[in-house]
Amino acid sequence: MNTVFIAGHARLPSGMAAKSIYETLTITAEIDKKYGVIVTAGCTLATLHGREFVQQLLRGHSLQDGIDEPVQVVKEHYLGKAGNALESALKDLYKQYEEFVKK
């Protein structure tokens, strides 16, 4: 298999629909091992539309180039309450990716 599955986690802010289901927001990504490209991604936002939107934002980014660009894309295009949690979860996912690369 040429991909790896990595997850990043962050606390959700209060007052969100997803908060009643989950305590944390999770972003998962299937990442190409050779190039670090996000093949597909998912997250635990409450609505299907939100989950699909985040997937579209992240797909195609290479983590070999760092996490700044995907974080910036999320900041610019996702304007919901979970924005900061998405950023934090992405940064956590990137830390997990860096650990994978070191091995």
Side-chain angles (χ1 to χ4, degrees):
M1 182 161 227
N2 297 327
T3 59
V4 64
F5 184 86
I6 298 177
H9 308 277
R11 286 196 163 276
L12 281 168
S14 59
M16 290 198 57
K19 179 85 172 175
S20 64
I21 302 168
Y22 310 105
E23 284 297 311
T24 60
L25 176 89
T26 300
I27 294 179
T28 58
E30 182 180 356
I31 301 166
D32 178 85
K33 288 180 183 179
K34 186 173 183 179
Y35 300 106
V37 173
I38 298 172
V39 176
T40 189
C43 69
T44 56
L45 289 175
T47 65
L48 175 61
H49 191 203
R51 294 187 302 268
E52 289 175 344
F53 188 75
V54 170
Q55 179 182 27
Q56 291 172 3
L57 290 177
L58 299 179
R59 187 183 312 132
H61 288 281
S62 175
L63 297 181
Q64 289 181 356
D65 297 332
I67 198 63
D68 293 342
E69 185 177 343
V71 166
Q72 189 59 37
V73 167
V74 168
K75 277 184 182 181
E76 290 175 9
H77 298 280
Y78 181 88
L79 305 179
K81 282 187 176 183
N84 289 336
L86 285 168
E87 277 183 58
S88 295
L90 267 175
K91 290 175 182 178
D92 185 51
L93 183 142
Y94 184 68
K95 279 192 238 175
Q96 304 304 320
Y97 172 75
E98 288 181 311
E99 289 298 317
F100 166 74
V101 170
K102 287 179 186 177
K103 292 181 182 181

